[in-house]
Amino acid sequence: MSILSDKEKLKNRPIGFMDSGVGGLSVLREAVRVLPAEDFIYFGDSANAPYGTKTVKEIRDLTFKAVENLMDYDIKALVVACNTATSAAITELRTRYKDMPVIGIEPAVKPAVVCSRGGRIIVMATPMTLRQRKFRELIKTYDNEADIVPLACEGLMEYVEKGITDKEGLMAYLDRALGPYVTDDTESIVLGCTHYPFIIKEIKEYLGDRNIVLIDGSKGTSSQLKRRLEEKDLLRDADHEGKVTILNSSEDPGMIELSKRLLEQKDPEVEND
Ligand code: DGL
């Protein structure tokens, strides 16, 4: 029998992920790819979704509750895999959990600007994310460099929460909400909500043969997680086969099934930072 040191015990703890629902799984699937030896525990707050139309205080309270659930599993790091929860609560979470790496996600505007040739960049996100100072400051940085158009997509994440079964409704939504903003010089669309990478196929189908790049932040967030674990010497031994545990606040057992299906869904064509 081997006796583990305190450091080894700490390394062996899981990494916690949270989102308002199943969206954060688009970040988790990338993290699993980058960190295959890690154990992950994912909490989707589908019972309280959507977050994006709630007040900052409501979102903050729900986010803290979700994180407290994860703390029961002795997590060694936290990923807030939700742009909305990040913009409403990341500062407070970092203050509360000072000793633990806390990684957030924000719309991947920077990589879109870096690849820009001067055309339009549409940022699809929840109304809350776009209203927050964090986002307004982010786009102000690139004010003179690009034509950035924020697009609040109230009601879009619900198509993913329902398992993307209403394709007709989803295509009509895209036509109504996205259509008017897509111009001939549109060059990229930033998917600023972690639910949206699960409907990339439908967005691409809607855009047809236009040459528009879709960008999401899952890769950047996963690399940041890896970097933070390396810095703190918290990576597990590479010979461990990592596992994923999924929790969901909804009483519907179908949400766990849907989560497992989404985690396996492959979208190799997306560009991400
Ligand atoms: N997945 C979430 C995000 O990245 C939010 C969706 C919602 O709850 O409104 O912003």
Side-chain angles (χ1 to χ4, degrees):
M1 198 181 74
S2 69
I3 298 180
L4 296 178
S5 66
D6 285 351
K7 184 72 192 185
E8 280 165 321
K9 281 189 202 152
L10 183 59
K11 286 182 178 187
N12 290 352
R13 291 187 191 173
I15 298 164
F17 267 63
M18 70 76 57
D19 176 50
S20 61
V22 295
L25 292 158
S26 65
V27 186
L28 179 58
R29 72 180 163 178
E30 179 58 26
V32 168
R33 206 182 61 74
V34 176
L35 297 164
E38 299 295 332
D39 289 340
F40 294 94
I41 175 134
Y42 181 92
F43 181 83
D45 196 9
S46 295
N48 294 300
Y51 280 11
T53 47
K54 293 185 166 60
T55 65
V56 173
K57 165 131 181 39
E58 285 169 330
I59 298 166
R60 217 170 264 163
D61 290 349
L62 288 169
T63 303
F64 267 90
K65 235 166 114 191
V67 173
E68 271 154 32
N69 275 315
L70 289 168
M71 295 310 286
D72 290 345
Y73 293 83
D74 255 351
I75 57 173
K76 64 178 175 185
L78 170 70
V79 178
V80 182
C82 176
N83 295 264
T84 309
T86 298
S87 57
I90 200 77
T91 311
E92 292 74 9
L93 284 169
R94 289 193 175 127
T95 306
R96 166 89 64 97
Y97 300 107
K98 268 195 220 60
D99 299 327
M100 183 174 69
V102 176
I103 289 100
I105 186 165
E106 64 180 16
V109 174
K110 186 175 170 195
V113 174
V114 169
C115 315
S116 167
R117 296 176 309 276
R120 174 169 284 196
I121 298 169
I122 299 175
V123 185
M124 296 171 73
T126 68
M128 168 55 68
T129 300
L130 300 179
R131 250 198 331 264
Q132 286 304 292
R133 200 173 62 195
K134 202 170 186 307
F135 179 76
R136 285 191 275 116
E137 280 173 1
L138 178 69
I139 57 167
K140 220 162 109 203
T141 327
Y142 305 110
D143 236 5
N144 302 320
E145 292 171 59
D147 169 28
I148 301 172
V149 178
L151 179 60
C153 295
E154 184 172 345
L156 184 53
M157 67 82 84
E158 283 84 340
Y159 287 97
V160 180
E161 287 288 305
K162 288 181 188 139
I164 322 162
T165 44
D166 179 13
K167 173 143 185 219
E168 211 178 301
L170 174 55
M171 297 312 275
Y173 181 105
L174 293 174
D175 191 34
R176 196 171 61 244
L178 176 62
Y181 296 92
V182 180
T183 51
D184 286 347
D185 74 337
T186 299
E187 48 187 27
S188 60
I189 298 179
V190 175
L191 305 176
C193 165
T194 54
H195 282 73
Y196 305 163
F198 289 122
I199 50 165
I200 276 175
K201 202 160 73 80
E202 290 76 8
I203 297 175
K204 283 189 174 240
E205 188 181 319
Y206 175 71
L207 294 172
D209 50 18
R210 288 188 185 90
N211 188 18
I212 298 176
V213 180
L214 303 184
I215 302 175
D216 82 69
S218 59
K219 220 176 195 156
T221 306
S222 302
S223 320
Q224 172 72 352
L225 168 64
K226 186 173 178 196
R227 235 179 349 257
R228 295 294 309 280
L229 292 174
E230 272 164 357
E231 273 165 23
K232 293 209 154 216
D233 188 25
L234 282 177
L235 287 172
R236 302 190 63 127
D237 290 344
D239 59 1
H240 176 75
E241 199 181 319
K243 63 173 194 302
V244 173
T245 305
I246 297 174
L247 312 169
N248 194 290
S249 58
S250 165
E251 280 171 11
D252 176 2
M255 293 314 287
I256 299 289
E257 286 317 305
L258 172 63
S259 301
K260 289 183 181 159
R261 176 160 71 76
L262 292 173
L263 194 59
E264 295 305 313
Q265 187 173 308
K266 301 251 181 311
D267 283 307
E269 291 165 59
V270 70
E271 303 272 325
N272 54 40
D273 64 327

